[in-house]
Amino acid sequence: MASTPPIDTSQSHSARIWNYWLGGKDNYPVDREAGDGIVAVLPEIVDIAVATRAVLVRMVTHLVEEASIDQFLDIGTGLPTANNTHEVAQAANPAARVVYVDNDPLVLAHARALLAGTPEGATDYVHADLRDPAAILEQAARTLDLQRPVAITLFGVLPFVGEDTEAKRIIDHLMEALPPGSHLAIVHSTSAVTGEGMEEAVRRWNEAGSAVYHLRTPERITALFDGLELVEPGVVSCPLWHPEPPEVGRAREMDEFCGLARKR
């Protein structure tokens, strides 16, 4: 693993802001100030952060239990928190193998927390950029068998790729390298529900010095799955994707949408 880089605490950081909203401890006053500024214009952002983590749990559990997936490539990992992908997958199947990918030096500094999996399974961390899918696949092959189905998760990372054609190029490169039965899961922000509130929140996010973040409409998010078979209910607000029984019928829409699709 690469050496741990120095951490700049003078400027807010997107991963630390998200960590703050999730109730984590890996953040600094500058991150909390930026996070509070966004909460001021979009109070539900904290609920969105929690809902995003909850849908990760439901999707990964679905993939293991319903689709018999035991290999995961989690790209855009972010800082470790509760219910990381390997914890969810290995709770359902202790032999599951998970590779995390991020190009953020801050995440690299915390990556060892992502490597403590079950004895039966395996976890690894790859320091690489989403825009270089060939390098990701090459390094993931150290841990994953790419001749067998793999689930790729892109949770909250595609908004940092502004052009739809570039996002689709990345997705196609990754999925073309995998066999039928592989899956793609995406979680992506939109402004379809709150409109100007989310747009102002993103403006403040970008002004805070974090990596530039781009919203997409639900239709543009759906188009990223072209060529794959969407799992019901398709691309929907995260709380509406296979909600747990207590939430069925009363889950509310949020500006974080998600979808899961299968390679035929």
Side-chain angles (χ1 to χ4, degrees):
M1 185 179 294
S3 60
T4 300
I7 296 175
D8 180 5
T9 63
S10 65
Q11 188 176 47
S12 65
H13 189 287
S14 58
R16 296 197 307 251
I17 294 171
W18 200 258
N19 176 268
Y20 169 51
W21 288 333
L22 284 171
K25 298 179 180 179
D26 295 313
N27 51 76
Y28 297 91
V30 65
D31 308 303
R32 297 190 282 275
E33 180 181 356
D36 289 342
I38 295 169
V39 169
V41 297
L42 191 73
E44 54 264 50
I45 192 65
V46 176
D47 291 338
I48 287 173
V50 173
T52 300
R53 181 58 47 163
V55 84
L56 178 152
V57 173
R58 298 199 303 277
M59 280 190 167
V60 171
T61 301
H62 173 93
L63 284 162
V64 175
E65 296 183 349
E66 304 298 327
S68 300
I69 296 291
D70 62 1
Q71 301 191 105
F72 292 83
L73 183 55
D74 180 331
I75 304 175
T77 300
L79 286 170
T81 184
N83 294 321
N84 299 297
T85 298
H86 75 280
E87 294 169 330
V88 178
Q90 292 176 352
N93 178 357
R97 306 175 76 82
V98 178
V99 172
Y100 292 102
V101 182
D102 209 299
N103 72 332
D104 189 329
L106 180 64
V107 177
L108 173 63
H110 292 264
R112 288 178 181 83
L114 297 170
L115 303 179
T118 59
E120 303 96 322
T123 60
D124 194 11
Y125 180 82
V126 171
H127 191 68
D129 194 306
L130 171 65
R131 293 174 176 81
D132 190 359
I136 290 173
L137 291 165
E138 179 182 0
Q139 295 182 69
R142 299 185 310 225
T143 303
L144 306 180
D145 179 358
L146 303 186
Q147 303 305 308
R148 296 177 50 244
V150 175
I152 293 178
T153 63
L154 299 171
F155 292 157
V157 66
L158 287 174
F160 297 107
V161 181
E163 294 294 329
D164 289 358
T165 53
E166 175 68 357
K168 194 68 172 75
R169 178 195 70 81
I170 293 165
I171 289 169
D172 288 347
H173 190 133
L174 291 167
M175 296 307 295
E176 285 169 5
L178 302 177
S182 296
H183 285 68
L184 171 68
I186 294 175
V187 172
H188 199 299
S189 299
T190 179
S191 60
V193 178
T194 57
E196 291 182 3
M198 175 58 83
E199 291 162 8
E200 175 63 16
V202 169
R203 188 186 68 78
R204 293 195 180 198
W205 173 284
N206 291 336
E207 283 185 348
S210 303
V212 177
Y213 199 84
H214 305 270
L215 299 172
R216 285 186 170 89
T217 64
E219 293 77 17
R220 289 171 63 196
I221 298 168
T222 301
L224 297 175
F225 289 104
D226 283 354
L228 304 173
E229 181 182 9
L230 274 167
V231 173
E232 291 295 330
V235 174
V236 296
S237 184
C238 287
L240 305 184
W241 198 91
H242 293 261
E244 297 292 342
E247 294 296 323
V248 173
R250 58 189 186 90
R252 62 186 178 92
E253 280 200 310
M254 297 177 176
D255 267 326
E256 199 76 10
F257 276 51
C258 66
L260 176 68
R262 180 181 184 273
K263 182 176 179 178
R264 294 186 286 264

